[in-house]
Every structure is written in structure tokens, then in C-alpha cells.
């Protein structure tokens, strides 16, 4: 029996005993996680979801948290003399071993759902200030921890590579108004903001954090 599951925006065909690498999940080595977004089940009878198969699930054991092979990004900007940047990147991955494929009853198994690390970081940051809601307004539920507007007015975020009026507006709506906030982003903040802006990997490709640091130091 095999299943086609969806995680991290990708689809994987798996069978019991298979090992696979997926985008980093919020789980420790040795934990068992469950994928509930099952697109298809195969075997004696093929079941295709619409879009997912009700009650189906894939359970897997987390073997380790690893990094993918190094990828080199080379960016050269047009009409700007001597403006180029070479940067290496290693994708954060989770190594899994598939332990079981459930054709039904996945919604009642009680096994921890497989959730991306970026999503969990956003939820954890949002939950932190709940105790202080009487004194100050809580930030948006999925906002990274470095998004609180800083005093002293907003910066012109359009000075960052690839940021236009529309993207600047989205950043403002997310509470990001200054270069200092962007310069202080962590890997978890970048992952959460990638999901919020729907431009996965753009922050690293364009080098926003490095540019923001230069502008705050300058």
C-alpha cells in the first residue's frame, strides 16, 4: 500500500518503511508525527481525495533534523555597476521514516500532527503576550517576534531590493515598518514572514537582512 501526502508545498509518494526528507517540521528526533493531508491511497483499491482522503493519514518517526546540500545564489542587479552578491544556502530539512499508512481513523489516532517549523514559531510568538492584553493590544496571531513597530517613525522599505509599494504595504500590515526590525530577524522570523508574504525564499535571495543592517549602521 502506498500514499501520496502533501507537506511544505510538495507532494511525496511513500510506502511503509520508506525514508524521506521534507521541509523542517516542529518535532524532535524520536518523535512520531502524522501527516493528515493525503491526496491519494494506492494498493488493492485506489482512492483519490477531493482534495484529501477523509480519515486517511501517514505516520512517520523523526530520525533527525538535518540540512540539505549547499546551494549557491548569485545575484547581479541590472543597471547598477559592481552590484552583485554570491550567497550560500542550506535548506533546513527533517529526515523521516514512514511507520504506518492509515486508510481511515487518522483523525482519531491522537498522534501529533506534522507541522512546519515556521508555522509553529509564528503561533508561539503570538501566544506569548496574551497575559498583557489588558494593558496593551496583542500583536497579530501569525506575526514574527521582531515585528513590533519601533519608535521614531517608519523607514522607506522600498529601498530594499525587490520591495515595491505593494510589498511595502504588506510589510506594514504585518507590523514591519523599520530597517532595524528586519535586521533583527532570526531564521524562525524569516520562515514565518515567508509564509505571510507568499514569497518563499525571497527574503534570503534578495538579502533583505544584510541590506537592512547596512542601512541601520549607515
Amino acid at each position: 500500500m502506498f500514499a501520496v501526502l502533501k507537506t511544505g508545498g510538495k507532494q511525496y509518494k511513500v510506502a511503509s518503511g520508506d525514508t524521506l526528507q521534507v521541509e523542517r517540521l516542529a518535532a524532535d528526533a524520536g518523535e512520531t508525527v502524522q501527516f493528515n493531508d493525503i491526496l491519494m491511497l494506492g494498493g488493492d483499491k485506489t482512492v483519490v481525495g477531493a482534495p484529501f482522503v477523509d480519515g486517511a493519514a501517514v505516520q512517520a518517526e523523526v530520525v533527525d533534523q538535518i540540512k540539505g546540500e549547499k546551494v549557491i545564489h548569485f545575484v547581479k542587479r541590472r543597471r547598477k555597476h559592481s552590484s552583485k552578491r554570491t550567497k550560500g544556502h542550506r535548506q533546513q530539512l527533517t529526515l523521516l521514516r514512514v511507520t504506518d499508512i492509515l486508510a481511515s481513523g487518522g483523525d482519531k489516532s491522537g498522534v501529533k500532527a506534522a507541522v512546519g517549523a515556521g508555522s509553529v514559531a509564528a503561533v508561539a510568538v503570538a501566544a506569548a503576550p496574551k497575559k498583557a492584553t489588558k494593558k496593551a493590544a496583542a500583536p497579530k496571531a501569525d506575526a514574527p517576534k521582531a515585528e513590533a513597530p519601533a519608535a521614531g517613525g517608519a523607514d522607506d522599505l522600498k529601498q530594499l531590493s525587490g520591495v515595491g509599494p505593494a510589498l511595502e504595504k504588506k510589510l506594514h500590515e504585518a507590523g514591519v515598518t523599520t530597517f532595524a526590525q528586519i535586521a533583527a530577524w532570526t531564521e524562525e522570523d524569516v520562515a514565518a514572514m515567508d509564509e505571510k508574504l507568499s514569497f518563499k525564499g525571497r527574503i534570503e535571495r534578495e538579502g533583505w537582512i544584510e541590506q537592512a543592517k547596512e542601512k541601520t549602521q549607515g
Side-chain angles (χ1 to χ4, degrees), residues 80 155-163 168 179 211 215:
K80 293 184 179 180
D155 293 323
D156 182 7
L157 301 183
K158 294 191 296 296
Q159 295 181 31
L160 298 177
S161 175
V163 178
E168 183 183 46
F179 296 130
Q211 294 178 51
K215 294 184 181 299

Side-chain angles (χ1 to χ4, degrees), residues 133-205:
T133 51
K134 294 182 179 180
K135 297 182 179 180
K140 292 185 178 180
D142 53 357
K145 61 186 177 183
E147 290 183 4
D155 293 323
D156 182 7
L157 301 183
K158 294 191 296 296
Q159 295 181 31
L160 298 177
S161 175
V163 178
L167 194 50
E168 183 183 46
K169 182 179 179 181
K170 287 186 177 182
L171 287 168
H172 286 175
E173 291 174 348
V176 181
T177 59
T178 67
F179 296 130
Q181 290 173 270
I182 297 175
W185 279 352
T186 63
E187 289 186 5
E188 289 77 12
D189 296 329
V190 171
M193 188 58 66
D194 273 340
E195 293 187 7
K196 178 179 285 292
L197 298 179
S198 300
F199 289 117
K200 193 169 183 64
R202 184 168 191 171
I203 295 173
E204 292 187 336
R205 288 197 305 272

Side-chain angles (χ1 to χ4, degrees), residues 13 18 25 30 58 66 103 168 175:
K13 179 181 177 182
D18 286 353
L25 303 175
V58 171
I66 60 176
E168 183 183 46

Side-chain angles (χ1 to χ4, degrees), residues 2-216:
F2 71 87
V4 177
L5 63 87
K6 179 181 178 182
T7 178
K10 301 181 179 67
Q11 299 177 13
Y12 302 87
K13 179 181 177 182
V14 299
S16 182
D18 286 353
T19 58
L20 71 153
Q21 298 175 4
V22 300
E23 291 197 19
R24 176 155 292 196
L25 303 175
D28 297 325
E31 283 191 80
T32 298
V33 295
Q34 177 171 294
F35 296 92
N36 297 311
D37 293 347
I38 309 303
L39 302 171
M40 185 176 74
L41 291 174
D44 296 335
K45 181 180 179 181
T46 300
V47 181
V48 179
F52 305 122
V53 180
D54 291 337
V58 171
Q59 295 180 357
E61 178 186 357
V62 178
V63 178
D64 198 4
Q65 299 287 7
I66 60 176
K67 289 185 177 182
E69 295 184 1
K70 190 169 186 179
V71 178
I72 302 298
H73 297 284
F74 178 76
V75 179
K76 183 174 177 65
R77 297 184 179 86
R78 296 175 58 194
R79 304 185 185 89
K80 293 184 179 180
H81 298 291
S82 302
S83 179
K84 59 184 180 180
R85 182 177 73 254
T86 301
K87 181 180 179 182
H89 171 71
R90 295 184 67 187
Q91 182 67 39
Q92 302 286 334
L93 300 172
T94 298
L95 181 62
L96 301 168
R97 180 183 298 108
V98 178
T99 56
D100 199 7
I101 297 177
L102 305 178
S104 62
D107 51 343
K108 301 177 182 178
S109 67
V111 177
K112 174 182 176 180
V115 182
S119 300
V120 171
V123 172
V125 171
K130 283 186 177 180
K131 295 182 180 179
T133 51
K134 294 182 179 180
K135 297 182 179 180
K140 292 185 178 180
D142 53 357
K145 61 186 177 183
E147 290 183 4
D155 293 323
D156 182 7
L157 301 183
K158 294 191 296 296
Q159 295 181 31
L160 298 177
S161 175
V163 178
L167 194 50
E168 183 183 46
K169 182 179 179 181
K170 287 186 177 182
L171 287 168
H172 286 175
E173 291 174 348
V176 181
T177 59
T178 67
F179 296 130
Q181 290 173 270
I182 297 175
W185 279 352
T186 63
E187 289 186 5
E188 289 77 12
D189 296 329
V190 171
M193 188 58 66
D194 273 340
E195 293 187 7
K196 178 179 285 292
L197 298 179
S198 300
F199 289 117
K200 193 169 183 64
R202 184 168 191 171
I203 295 173
E204 292 187 336
R205 288 197 305 272
E206 299 290 350
W208 287 4
I209 296 177
E210 291 79 1
Q211 294 178 51
K213 288 180 179 179
E214 292 177 0
K215 294 184 181 299
T216 54

